[in-house]
Amino acid sequence: MKFLYFIIFLNLFIYCYGYYYLDEVLSWKQITYELDDFLYKKDADYKKTFDGVHFEQELEDWEKFFIQYNNIPIGFEVYKDLVFVTVPRRRYGIPSTLNYVELSHNKSPHLKRYPGSENVTSVYRPRIDVCGRLWMVDTGLLEVPGNRTQVKQPAIVIYDLHSHKQILYYELKASDLINERTPGGLTSIAVDVTEHNCDDAYAYINDLATEGMIVFSLRRKESFRINHSTFVHDESSLNFTVADYTIPWKDGLFSIALSEPNYSGDRTLYYHPLASIQEFSVNTKYLKSGTINIDQFKTLGIKGRNTQSGSHDYHPGSRTLFFGNVAQDAILCWRVDDKMAPENVEIALQDHEKLVYISDLKVIGDYIWVLVNKMPIFVYSKFNLNENNFFIHRISINKLLKTSCRRKQ
């Protein structure tokens, strides 16, 4: 009987522990939009134009302006009281890919199209730099299964968040791309810059589809591709489980995280494929110089069983990497001064309801922010439209550090 009470208490503790640390900032059952002063709250066979609202009947899916169920948020960023939310065009009926909402008491606001982004085709995970600029990769791809259409060359796009104007549109070169599958793999970007030298920025772009990295110099307006064996998925790490569904996705290089700069201005770049339980690193001085050899890429070690993770980010104050651990509905933590080994990688937070498939994770100040979208349910089953399916949470790093991620003695 005492053991039964202990198990009940333990389960209650874990349940309350997750809810205590998770600050639910935004959540939606389904995505809605406010575009051109018109609300889209259900499937729309119409579109508002300058001369009125035009209705059409019996359209095919590819003709419809808005198919609500198909709108799945995948990436986000936070700037002051704005939260950017991206909806890549992976299905028909996506009216806007780069959107924002204003933080307020309303936890389920309508998405608004970011000004000047009407011609942006499809964006995954944008990033804001210390110079107040929003960076992203426009894949240029309508990624509809059975009808993939490359409508334009993939490009790096930058907006100035002070003026809300586009300040760069750089088309990636043919040599940056392996084949027609590459654009769909350009799903995140990491920006290496200091606020004292905003013109000398570098961007590192993952390619999970054809398993490489693209490096871009803002000052030189030049890009080049790197291929390496550590960017490739690990066959032995396939077929993990999310929401009771087996995930066979052969996603290569998925996430890139940067440390603080050293005395020379260079950083450690941490990275991993999604289908992998290992972590790797390289010094950015080699990437920026373009003089690459295989010995410069380091295998740091194994995180442990079921540690397949998507996005991760670095907290300089505690010298800790936080991982969006999709295989355990969890956030993992590892202090980079410790050896990378299973005994040094901890579950900082776990929630089997509100952390089901962390699609994006970002350290902002002393907080972890995550976007959760239950993607495997969308791919393999059906959402329950009577409950919230998409979340943006905020978690205090200082609270987490009191109970986990503590330095080993």
Side-chain angles (χ1 to χ4, degrees), residues 86 171 201 282 362 391:
T86 59
E171 288 190 353
V282 64
K362 178 70 177 167
F391 302 91

Side-chain angles (χ1 to χ4, degrees), residues 99-119:
N99 312 284
Y100 73 96
V101 299
E102 297 174 356
L103 291 174
S104 68
H105 65 279
N106 182 5
K107 287 195 173 184
S108 302
H110 310 299
L111 302 191
K112 299 178 181 180
R113 181 189 295 116
Y114 188 62
S117 67
E118 293 85 355
N119 294 323

Side-chain angles (χ1 to χ4, degrees), residues 258-269:
L258 295 168
S259 75
E260 66 272 79
N262 61 19
Y263 63 91
S264 300
D266 301 311
R267 305 174 191 262
T268 299
L269 184 148

Side-chain angles (χ1 to χ4, degrees), residues 239-247 326-327 329 352 356 376-377 380-381:
N239 301 321
F240 56 92
T241 300
V242 181
D244 297 325
Y245 297 99
T246 300
I247 307 301
V326 295
D329 304 332
H352 298 304
V356 178
I377 296 176
Y380 298 114
S381 182

Side-chain angles (χ1 to χ4, degrees), residues 163 199 204 231 234 239 341 343 347 367 404:
S163 65
D199 292 334
Y204 311 107
F231 301 159
D234 178 5
N239 301 321
E343 62 269 22
I347 293 179
Y367 287 88
S404 62

Side-chain angles (χ1 to χ4, degrees), residues 357-373:
Y357 203 83
I358 299 172
S359 177
D360 202 0
L361 179 151
K362 178 70 177 167
V363 171
I364 303 174
D366 289 326
Y367 287 88
I368 302 167
W369 291 66
V370 295
L371 184 149
V372 176
N373 65 11

Side-chain angles (χ1 to χ4, degrees), residues 203-265:
Y204 311 107
I205 300 167
N206 79 306
D207 167 17
L208 63 83
T210 47
E211 302 179 311
M213 181 190 298
I214 298 170
V215 179
F216 169 72
S217 166
L218 178 62
R219 179 173 55 82
R220 298 196 306 268
K221 303 295 189 297
E222 182 66 30
S223 58
F224 61 92
R225 182 182 179 91
I226 301 171
N227 298 300
H228 193 266
S229 61
T230 58
F231 301 159
V232 178
H233 73 277
D234 178 5
E235 288 284 332
S236 68
S237 296
L238 298 177
N239 301 321
F240 56 92
T241 300
V242 181
D244 297 325
Y245 297 99
T246 300
I247 307 301
W249 304 339
K250 297 183 177 183
D251 289 357
L253 178 60
F254 196 97
S255 183
I256 294 167
L258 295 168
S259 75
E260 66 272 79
N262 61 19
Y263 63 91
S264 300

